[in-house]
Amino acid sequence: MSRTSTVRGLCLTTAPLALLALPALAHAQQASQAGATTPDDNLYGAIIVTAQKRAAKINDVPMSITAASGDQLTKLGVTDASQLTKVVPGFTYNETAYGTPVFTIRGVGFQETSLGASPAVSSYIDEVPVPFSAETVGLGLDLERLEVLKGPQGTLFGSNSTGGALNYIAGKPTDKLSAGFDASFGSFNTLDLQGHVAAPITDTLGVRVSARYTSGDGFQKSMTRPGDRLGSKDFLQGRILLVWEPTSNWKTTLNITAQRDRSESLAPQYYQFVALNDGPLIPDGFRNFPRAPKDNRVSDWDPNVNFKRNNRFYFGSLRNELDLGDAAHITSLTSLQRFRRYQPVEGDGTPFNDYRAESYGKINTFYQELRLDGKVGNATYIVGANYEYDYVDDNTIQIYRQSSSASVFGIPLGDTRPNTQQRLRTYGVFGNLDYELSDKVTAHAGIRFTQANRELLYGCGQDIDGSWGLVSQAIQGYIHFLRGEPITSTPIPVGGCGTINLDNVQPEGAHAKLNQNNLSWRLGLDFKPTRDVLLYANVSRGYKAGSFPTLAAATTRQFDPVVQETVLAFEAGAKVTAANGRIQANGAVFYYDYKNKQILGRIPDIAFGPLPSLVNVPKSRIWGAELDVTLNPVDGLRIRPAVTYLNSRLGDGFVNYDSFGAEGNFGGEPFPYTPKWQANVDAEYSFPVNDGIDAFVGGNMLYYGKTNGAFGEYKVLAIDAYTTFDARLGIASHDDKWRLQFWARNLTDKYYWTASFRVNDSVNRYPGSPRTFGATLSVKY
């Protein structure tokens, strides 16, 4: 789609939403006589954020931020990060073939499948990091707001934020009894119940208890077994949050959260047969299996297999704050986290067992941060240090009994078990200074030193039934033969390690260390000529720590890590409030110089040819622009359009292997999962029905441009552009104490897919969500 046609399409799709303004325009003169709003009345401009680890109005923060309240997310049906494309310009979500979520902002993400892969876009609960993407599924429970920070966030938010950060702010106790719940029921018998109760226990102690339960029937339909369904939901979580203020200058906040996920993993759609190593074990039925239809609901999966997950996450944090006056405020953050995973995944989207996986794993995390901030004269400062310890045990049983991988050198190969155990220790020391050069100009500087020590305690492709051991022995002999050495091999016991160390041609687990340090920094200047205009320019450098993969490794070389990546970011932007607060416009242009981008590529193997491994792209770059506008032309009407343009490019001369094992020069290609254009428009018009009740009607449009799921820009791996529409209408009390909303999502039942990938002998796609209808009742007390 050309840029002209994209803009034309954006205008056409915006037009229906713009029609919502027509009823209100008749009252424009009346609204004008009633008095215009002030900038502080502008809903978006008045949002208080903590992006700089202190409270400030979003319009006074000189960086690109998107913020939304918990109520706004509920209205839009945003229940997890997969739906943030509706509200965050430049944000992309996709799942890998192993079900691991990947977040990308402005083209910066990490397409890795391992449980222990540190993301390029990090997530936080009240500034406490949740370090791995698999743990982030339930972070949207009972939110006060969500802040999305764009660009490198290395100075204040740690070392793994080359792309940005998602900061979830939990709802807090109130000074009097309050409560609320949201109850939704929709298509496929989907029930979503969320509620909270907050109250003071004593004059100094307050509590807030929150819970959420989601259940629903499977919406995916089997192509070959009428009546067979997949995708049921069963998700439960709860939180207890205590705030104790024993004195006027001391506050302690305790957050205890627990969740379990027993929902079914979704199946990809089968698209095309592409044999990894063609052979007689591939059934003719799989070779000739029909391509999935253009229907978001239709796929297929292995019969008589239970795809229910059993994932559990436990989060505890303790925040202590001591206020010593304007010049000194001490904050301590302590956190313990545990994640346990069992997640079966359908790999090929057919009833044949070409590929299926069962992922097991656990993560233990300890985090401690101590910082001091305050204001002295014209200077506002933050200094601090933090420490994080992570232990990750990642196991995946790979099942491929009807595939080309089921025989190696003529030896039948049973199930295998890639396994890694990693230990991570991260130390950071940071400082930030904002200095008011005048009443209109402020200079900003931040710096962080990070020492990231990652250790691969054990990395191996483990035998399960003795077959991988026999194959490993054959590979050992083959390697000796190629080297002109006596053909020998070392027997491997059942359950032993079959991965081969090429140095001594012995089966043994990989052990390695990757210790690196870096210096992240940020410099900026902002100019505020009036209270309604903020102009800013920033330059920053952020780093993301190196990583070891978890994969089916024939040799220990596949466990070689990638080194840390770095982004040097230039950004200039403006935040403008106009028309007495009825227009809020935020825009930015940016350029990223990207070094050592981390990707899951391939390296040549002596026995199997190119096999998966992590690699670094030496040079690449991104430039682009975004515009986010909130319009309140008349009382009751809000229109919020946003658009992002991204131009990403791999550096010249980057040579690796594509998804089909062919070597190629990918220099000049755009990044996978990085469309040039993204746009969304949300609009709502509310009007009084009587003295106590308002009615409202609204809608949301999302446009996602075309991109590709891998290097090589193969057509079979393309992700086509798509546009989806949501609609809503309902009634609410004038004081918003209750609201009844009827909604439709993907109103036109648009067929689209969010990921495209090759696994074993097939190319597959993850389809988007089908059309759904439902209602939500929200009540506050």
Side-chain angles (χ1 to χ4, degrees):
M1 181 178 289
S2 67
R3 187 180 306 183
T4 301
S5 61
T6 300
V7 175
R8 185 187 303 119
L10 177 59
C11 294
L12 290 174
T13 52
T14 306
L17 295 175
L19 291 176
L20 293 172
L22 294 180
L25 292 178
H27 303 285
Q29 183 64 34
Q30 178 182 352
S32 177
Q33 293 172 353
T37 61
T38 67
D40 287 344
D41 296 325
N42 181 286
L43 179 63
Y44 188 79
I47 291 178
I48 303 298
V49 297
T50 53
Q52 296 175 303
K53 293 202 171 179
R54 64 176 186 274
K57 288 184 178 180
I58 192 170
N59 283 351
D60 294 334
V61 179
M63 65 175 66
S64 290
I65 307 172
T66 298
S69 68
D71 284 346
Q72 288 173 311
L73 296 174
T74 298
K75 271 190 175 184
L76 294 174
V78 177
T79 58
D80 56 56
S82 67
Q83 299 148 338
L84 284 179
T85 49
K86 295 180 183 180
V87 293
V88 182
F91 179 87
T92 297
Y93 173 95
N94 68 277
E95 285 192 16
T96 69
Y98 292 84
T100 305
V102 176
F103 309 145
T104 302
I105 294 179
R106 291 178 174 175
V108 181
F110 188 27
Q111 296 293 331
E112 227 279 69
T113 61
S114 303
L115 180 63
S118 299
V121 176
S122 50
S123 299
Y124 300 80
I125 300 178
D126 290 338
E127 302 176 4
V128 175
V130 178
F132 302 101
S133 296
E135 303 171 296
T136 64
V137 174
L139 299 190
L141 171 66
D142 186 26
L143 292 183
E144 178 182 310
R145 67 183 181 279
L146 168 64
E147 303 170 8
V148 181
L149 287 60
K150 301 176 183 179
Q153 302 297 324
T155 54
L156 291 178
F157 279 91
S159 58
N160 289 323
S161 298
T162 44
L166 309 178
N167 191 19
Y168 295 84
I169 309 300
K172 302 300 188 294
T174 51
D175 56 6
K176 60 181 179 179
L177 177 64
S178 66
F181 73 84
D182 301 292
S184 297
F185 185 78
S187 302
F188 314 114
N189 294 317
T190 300
L191 179 66
D192 189 351
L193 302 175
Q194 178 176 225
H196 75 269
V197 177
I201 298 177
T202 68
D203 290 343
T204 60
L205 180 64
V207 64
R208 187 177 183 114
V209 180
S210 311
R212 184 170 203 158
Y213 176 64
T214 305
S215 67
D217 298 337
F219 71 85
Q220 285 194 312
K221 299 186 294 186
S222 168
M223 292 174 60
T224 59
R225 302 180 300 280
D228 202 353
R229 299 289 185 267
L230 187 68
S232 65
K233 297 180 180 179
D234 184 358
F235 189 86
L236 177 65
Q237 59 185 151
R239 174 192 296 141
I240 298 176
L241 198 148
L242 294 165
V243 175
W244 182 43
E245 298 185 69
T247 67
S248 60
N249 63 345
W250 176 16
K251 181 165 73 172
T252 296
T253 303
L254 175 65
N255 181 338
I256 300 175
T257 301
Q259 67 183 43
R260 63 108 172 120
D261 181 7
R262 294 180 183 167
S263 306
E264 289 181 322
S265 299
L266 295 176
Q269 290 184 325
Y270 173 83
Y271 186 74
Q272 183 172 310
F273 171 71
V274 184
L276 184 66
N277 298 291
D278 207 350
L281 295 179
I282 302 176
D284 289 338
F286 181 76
R287 294 175 185 274
N288 302 311
F289 196 76
R291 181 175 296 176
K294 295 182 178 181
D295 185 330
N296 292 331
R297 293 191 60 191
V298 178
S299 184
D300 224 323
W301 51 92
D302 293 3
N304 303 316
V305 174
N306 188 345
F307 286 96
K308 282 196 173 184
R309 302 189 285 260
N310 187 11
N311 296 343
R312 290 156 291 150
F313 181 49
Y314 308 97
F315 174 93
S317 68
L318 182 68
R319 181 187 183 108
N320 282 291
E321 299 175 78
L322 181 62
D323 190 352
L324 302 177
D326 291 342
H329 181 267
I330 300 173
T331 302
S332 170
L333 298 173
T334 306
S335 178
L336 288 172
Q337 301 170 42
R338 288 167 54 90
F339 179 73
R340 298 296 181 265
R341 176 174 77 166
Y342 169 70
Q343 185 160 314
V345 177
E346 165 65 31
D348 54 74
T350 77
F352 298 93
N353 179 220
D354 188 78
Y355 188 81
R356 190 174 80 248
E358 296 177 0
S359 295
Y360 301 79
K362 65 180 180 180
I363 301 172
N364 295 332
T365 295
F366 170 76
Y367 179 79
Q368 176 63 54
E369 177 177 318
L370 183 65
R371 68 176 188 259
L372 173 70
D373 66 272
K375 185 171 183 179
V376 179
N378 291 341
T380 302
Y381 72 91
I382 300 175
V383 293
N386 57 27
Y387 168 74
E388 182 178 324
Y389 172 89
D390 303 292
Y391 173 80
V392 183
D393 187 348
D394 188 7
N395 290 265
T396 297
I397 295 178
Q398 299 181 324
I399 308 163
Y400 36 70
R401 297 163 189 169
Q402 295 176 296
S403 76
S404 62
S405 299
S407 176
V408 181
F409 297 151
I411 302 172
L413 178 61
D415 305 343
T416 54
R417 183 180 180 179
N419 169 229
T420 61
Q421 293 156 27
Q422 300 185 49
R423 182 166 53 209
L424 297 75
R425 292 187 175 96
T426 306
Y427 310 81
V429 180
F430 59 91
N432 193 82
L433 180 67
D434 303 320
Y435 190 84
E436 297 175 4
L437 299 175
S438 71
D439 59 349
K440 296 181 179 180
V441 180
T442 304
H444 309 273
I447 193 168
R448 173 190 289 267
F449 174 79
T450 300
Q451 177 69 46
N453 298 339
R454 184 183 284 251
E455 185 177 1
L456 180 64
L457 302 173
Y458 181 71
C460 179
Q462 287 182 288
D463 174 90
I464 292 179
D465 58 4
S467 61
W468 171 234
L470 294 176
V471 171
S472 178
Q473 284 187 257
I475 295 173
Q476 295 172 48
Y478 181 59
I479 293 172
H480 284 303
F481 170 76
L482 292 178
R483 294 180 175 179
E485 300 169 351
I487 299 177
T488 61
S489 63
T490 300
I492 298 166
V494 173
C497 180
T499 300
I500 300 166
N501 186 333
L502 290 177
D503 292 336
N504 56 17
V505 197
Q506 290 293 308
E508 58 184 48
H511 307 275
K513 293 183 179 181
L514 179 66
N515 298 337
Q516 294 189 289
N517 57 62
N518 59 68
L519 197 66
S520 302
W521 51 266
R522 172 177 172 262
L523 296 173
L525 196 68
D526 72 65
F527 174 51
K528 200 171 178 63
T530 71
R531 63 172 293 181
D532 298 335
V533 177
L534 175 69
L535 307 175
Y536 66 89
N538 296 319
V539 56
S540 61
R541 182 183 292 277
Y543 290 83
K544 177 189 173 307
S547 183
F548 293 98
T550 301
L551 36 73
T555 69
T556 54
R557 187 185 170 209
Q558 284 179 261
F559 288 113
D560 287 350
V562 284
V563 298
Q564 60 189 357
E565 68 178 25
T566 177
V567 173
L568 178 62
F570 302 86
E571 178 176 332
K575 299 184 179 184
V576 179
T577 306
N580 291 319
R582 294 200 179 272
I583 300 175
Q584 174 65 46
N586 302 328
V589 294
F590 48 87
Y591 178 88
Y592 292 172
D593 183 11
Y594 207 162
K595 300 287 180 62
N596 285 326
K597 176 179 174 60
Q598 300 170 357
I599 65 167
L600 182 59
R602 291 172 181 260
I603 60 172
D605 180 77
I606 194 168
F608 292 96
L611 290 179
S613 183
L614 292 178
V615 298
N616 290 104
V617 181
K619 293 183 179 181
S620 50
R621 59 99 178 122
I622 306 169
W623 64 268
E626 61 187 24
L627 180 64
D628 183 352
V629 181
T630 301
L631 304 172
N632 300 100
V634 293
D635 290 348
L637 177 63
R638 179 188 54 77
I639 306 173
R640 187 174 178 184
V643 62
T644 298
Y645 173 78
L646 290 174
N647 189 301
S648 63
R649 186 175 183 273
L650 295 171
D652 294 336
F654 173 60
V655 177
N656 201 250
Y657 298 87
D658 61 30
S659 297
F660 306 98
E663 187 175 19
N665 185 340
F666 305 118
E669 286 191 12
F671 295 178
Y673 295 99
T674 306
K676 279 192 174 183
W677 289 96
Q678 287 178 260
N680 59 71
V681 180
D682 189 77
E684 183 173 297
Y685 175 58
S686 62
F687 53 92
V689 175
N690 56 40
D691 290 342
I693 298 178
D694 297 334
F696 61 89
V697 57
N700 182 278
M701 183 278 297
L702 168 66
Y703 172 80
Y704 187 90
K706 65 179 181 180
T707 182
N708 202 282
F711 297 122
E713 298 187 284
Y714 286 95
K715 187 176 181 180
V716 295
L717 294 173
I719 300 172
D720 289 349
Y722 61 87
T723 302
T724 61
F725 296 91
D726 296 350
R728 60 185 183 272
L729 59 87
I731 57 174
S733 65
H734 191 66
D735 58 5
D736 205 31
K737 292 294 186 182
W738 61 266
R739 181 173 66 246
L740 176 62
Q741 175 176 298
F742 299 92
W743 44 261
R745 290 161 192 157
N746 192 5
L747 182 62
T748 62
D749 205 18
K750 173 70 176 178
Y751 172 67
Y752 65 100
W753 58 98
T754 59
S756 182
F757 50 89
R758 188 262 182 95
V759 172
N760 228 21
D761 301 312
S762 64
V763 173
N764 307 295
R765 296 170 170 175
Y766 272 122
S769 298
R771 175 171 53 204
T772 55
F773 299 97
T776 300
L777 175 64
S778 301
V779 177
K780 300 177 184 177
Y781 169 75

